[in-house]
């Protein structure tokens, strides 16, 4: 199978699909299993490439991983954790950002860790300075080498008091995975409190950790000597759910997303309604649909939780090209997340990007050279085109644009979409899309 998709667009997507566990939680829970004395069982695991990458890394470190794709479960047995060969770890370089989160657990288990150069989506610089500062504050020695970063904890890891410059999801997870078995108490202020982080805290608590989340983004952890395995069902993937919701809006369709969960999607649902989309929530999922008539332009700013997620932005922008009037979107989480709009403009959309902070309060990227605000003027019919997938969410947005556009589009590099969207071509078929993957 090649990396190409021919999409014959212009047909409303209609039908039912299912979303399973969140990519951005499942991978972290898999890493948490390294901290336990005994085996763990994770349920609601999607078949996506990122799960395969973390499985490979865990296996390199001696964790036995048994996957039942039909049941959607992973059995993770860390009884024989061992150091991996640098060259083997390095073979995973470029495939994911998860290796950085192995540090805390490996330092506790083995006293050292090696982190290859990191991959992940090209949506900004994506530095790891917060992660390394956190590890140093726990007492780790960080040494940059040619192939990556070598980290040691010659005197163990001690609890500490840390304030993050920005509520980073990954840095908060780094701290949690390190603090739970560090000696003494750790306090993190300005922590990220995304639902995926709360579910990681649920997992760590099941394992025997003592973690409290206070008001004002303060997390306190009392380190314990030993942790056990866990059994846990992953929370639903709210990014995937919102991506399909935006696809319903952009194609004038009607999609029931089984597994979608309302409490984690409040900000998205409010925005979806303001744009003119309709949704019905029931016990098993959410139906998202275009009720007919014009869509409305909006002013939107992405933010950390409980704000509007940055990962919801790209798919929604495609729907905004079909709204009547001027929409303004200010991206405040990543400095470079509008690259995907170039292809949309090539398909007929009217989108202008700006370096200024538009439509909201000034953000970290304001006085710098980043095109992090966009003005979208609609409605504009989209025309079929040849598109190259730039990153995971941008790529899904291109796919939505191709599905909305009349004619046959060629979408290249769709392997990237497999990283985070389970069986997306099967889902497209279930929704009546016309396409072929050759
Ligand atoms: N940042 C730093 N230094 C650091 C870490 C982060 O400056 O050491 C900055 C980043 O450059 C960015 C901001 O802080 O501007 C926020 O980054 P964060 O650390 O919160 O992001 P992340 O943990 O790397 C996760 C998800 C992303 C999602 C963000 C925000 C995973 C594997 N990735 O990334 O998901 O956009 O949180 O919610 O959990 C995706 O799924 O497509 C994706 C990119």
């Amino acid at each position: 199978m090649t990396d190409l998709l021919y999409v014959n667009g212009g047909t409303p997507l209609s039908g039912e699909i299912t979303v399973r566990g969140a990519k951005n939680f499942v991978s972290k829970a898999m890493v948490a299993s390294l901290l336990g004395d005994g085996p763990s069982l994770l349920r609601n695991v999607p078949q996506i490439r990122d799960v395969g990458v973390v499985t490979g890394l865990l296996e390199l470190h001696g964790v036995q991983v048994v996957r039942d794709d039909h049941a959607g479960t992973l059995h993770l047995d860390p009884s024989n954790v061992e150091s991996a060969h640098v060259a083997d770890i390095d073979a995973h370089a470029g495939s994911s950002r998860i290796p950085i989160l192995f540090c805390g657990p490996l330092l506790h288990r083995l006293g050292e860790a090696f982190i290859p150069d990191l991959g992940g989506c090209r949506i900004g610089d994506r530095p790891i300075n917060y992660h390394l500062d956190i590890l140093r504050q726990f007492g780790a020695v960080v040494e940059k080498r040619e192939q990556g970063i070598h980290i040691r904890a010659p005197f163990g890891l001690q609890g500490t008091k840390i304030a993050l410059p920005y509520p980073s999801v990954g840095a908060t997870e780094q701290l949690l995975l390190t603090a739970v078995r560090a000696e003494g108490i750790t306090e993190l202020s300005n922590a990220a409190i995304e639902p995926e982080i709360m579910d990681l805290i649920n997992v760590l608590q099941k394992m025997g950790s003592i973690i409290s989340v206070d008001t004002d983004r303060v997390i306190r952890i009392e380190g314990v000597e030993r942790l056990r395995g866990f059994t846990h069902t992953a929370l639903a993937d709210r990014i995937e759910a919102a991506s399909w919701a935006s696809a319903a809006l952009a194609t004038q369709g009607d999609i029931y997303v089984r597994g979608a969960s309302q409490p984690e999607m409040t900000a998205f649902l409010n925005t979806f309604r303001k744009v003119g989309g309709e949704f019905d929530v029931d016990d098993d999922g959410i139906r998202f649909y275009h009720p007919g008539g014009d869509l409305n332009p909006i002013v939107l700013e992405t933010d950390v939780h409980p704000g509007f997620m940055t990962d919801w932005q790209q798919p929604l922008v495609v729907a905004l090209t079909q709204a009547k009037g001027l929409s303004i979107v200010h991206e405040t989480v990543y400095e470079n997340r509008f690259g995907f709009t170039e292809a949309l403009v090539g398909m007929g959309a009217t989108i202008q990007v700006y370096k200024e902070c538009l439509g909201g309060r000034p953000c970290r990227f304001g006085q710098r050279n980043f095109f992090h605000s966009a003005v979208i003027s609609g409605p504009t019919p989209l025309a079929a085109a040849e598109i190259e997938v730039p990153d995971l969410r941008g790529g899904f947005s291109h796919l939505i644009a191709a599905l909305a556009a009349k004619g046959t589009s060629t979408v290249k590099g769709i392997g990237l979409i497999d990283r985070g969207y389970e069986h997306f071509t099967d889902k497209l078929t279930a929704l009546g899309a016309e396409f072929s993957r050759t």
Side-chain angles (χ1 to χ4, degrees):
M1 206 180 272
T2 66
D3 225 14
L4 268 186
L5 206 67
Y6 297 103
V7 179
N8 194 11
T11 314
L13 293 184
S14 178
E16 175 178 325
I17 50 118
T18 299
V19 296
R20 292 205 279 183
K23 164 179 99 66
N24 291 346
F25 162 78
V26 166
S27 44
K28 326 297 171 62
M30 290 172 73
V31 178
S33 74
L34 269 172
L35 290 161
D37 282 345
S40 292
L41 171 63
L42 190 56
R43 298 200 173 101
N44 204 23
V45 177
Q47 266 180 282
I48 50 175
R49 221 174 60 217
D50 269 18
V51 169
V53 170
V54 185
T55 299
L57 281 165
L58 286 170
E59 285 173 343
L60 279 181
H61 289 94
V63 179
Q64 197 191 41
V65 185
V66 180
R67 182 166 158 169
D68 181 336
D69 283 333
H70 183 67
T73 56
L74 278 180
H75 287 260
L76 305 133
D77 186 348
S79 308
N80 298 309
V81 169
E82 59 190 16
S83 289
H85 294 294
V86 170
D88 291 338
I89 305 175
D90 204 40
H92 286 261
S95 55
S96 160
R97 296 186 59 75
I98 303 300
I100 187 79
L101 294 177
F102 275 64
C103 293
L106 288 182
L107 288 174
H108 287 302
R109 295 290 303 245
L110 305 168
E112 63 170 356
F114 175 77
I115 307 304
D117 287 334
L118 297 177
C121 290
R122 297 181 301 268
I123 50 183
D125 255 1
R126 308 195 74 181
I128 54 168
N129 52 329
Y130 302 165
H131 294 256
L132 299 182
D133 287 350
I134 285 172
L135 292 165
R136 285 192 190 98
Q137 274 200 244
F138 276 103
V141 177
V142 177
E143 196 188 320
K144 292 191 182 162
R145 294 185 182 167
E146 208 174 300
Q147 288 166 300
I149 300 168
H150 185 248
I151 304 168
R152 289 175 296 127
F155 309 108
L157 296 167
Q158 288 80 39
T160 180
K161 199 168 173 173
I162 302 178
L164 280 176
Y166 182 80
S168 150
V169 169
T172 301
E173 292 161 344
Q174 179 76 262
L175 180 124
L176 286 167
L177 291 165
T178 308
V180 286
R181 280 191 52 193
E183 200 187 316
I185 295 176
T186 296
E187 183 184 287
L188 177 67
S189 40
N190 206 21
I193 50 164
E194 266 61 8
E196 292 76 17
I197 290 177
M198 293 302 138
D199 214 21
L200 180 62
I201 291 175
N202 291 337
V203 162
L204 293 169
Q205 191 177 48
K206 283 178 175 176
M207 296 177 82
S209 304
I210 301 171
I211 305 173
S212 61
V213 183
D214 295 349
T215 49
D216 297 336
R217 299 186 174 278
V218 175
I219 298 182
R220 266 188 205 83
I221 302 117
E222 292 179 36
V224 295
E225 262 175 43
R226 306 182 67 156
L227 293 172
R228 50 183 175 269
F230 63 84
T231 296
H232 191 76
T233 302
L235 87 168
D237 197 315
R238 63 196 174 117
I239 306 178
E240 186 185 355
S243 301
W244 290 111
S246 293
L249 209 51
T251 64
Q252 305 199 0
D254 186 336
I255 303 180
Y256 181 74
V257 183
R258 185 170 293 280
S261 167
Q262 182 186 19
E264 296 83 30
M265 295 186 73
T266 312
F268 179 82
L269 295 173
N270 286 335
T271 302
F272 192 79
R273 182 163 277 157
K274 282 203 253 178
V275 175
E278 268 303 341
F279 60 89
D280 302 327
V281 181
D282 66 29
D283 289 347
D284 300 318
I286 305 178
R287 174 189 168 207
F288 296 95
Y289 58 102
H290 189 309
D294 290 336
L295 296 181
N296 312 311
I298 50 161
V299 177
L300 178 68
E301 186 163 65
T302 63
D303 209 342
V304 294
H305 191 74
F308 188 95
M309 283 190 96
T310 169
D311 304 281
W312 291 331
Q313 177 261 103
Q314 289 156 303
L316 190 74
V317 163
V318 183
L320 292 179
T321 66
Q322 304 310 304
K324 192 175 179 188
L326 289 183
S327 294
I328 299 174
V329 181
H330 180 204
E331 169 62 58
T332 75
V333 180
Y334 290 112
E335 68 273 31
N336 189 18
R337 215 169 193 181
F338 281 125
F340 76 104
T341 58
E342 211 174 294
L344 299 186
V345 171
M347 296 174 80
T350 305
I351 303 175
Q352 181 68 49
V353 288
Y354 295 88
K355 291 178 186 169
E356 287 78 9
C357 299
L358 296 185
R361 53 186 192 282
C363 75
R364 298 175 292 151
F365 311 131
Q367 298 305 321
R368 299 160 70 194
N369 282 320
F370 301 120
F371 289 99
H372 72 293
S373 294
V375 176
I376 303 126
S377 173
T380 46
L382 297 175
E386 201 170 286
I387 315 162
E388 175 104 41
V389 167
D391 60 69
L392 177 61
R393 309 298 168 194
F396 197 82
S397 309
H398 289 170
L399 194 58
I400 297 175
L403 290 159
K406 288 218 161 61
T408 304
S409 294
T410 308
V411 189
K412 289 183 187 164
I414 52 157
L416 260 181
I417 298 176
D418 290 321
R419 264 195 56 209
Y421 291 89
E422 182 181 37
H423 299 154
F424 76 91
T425 47
D426 292 347
K427 291 179 186 175
L428 288 176
T429 303
L431 297 173
E434 290 177 33
F435 69 96
S436 59
R437 189 174 188 172
T438 53

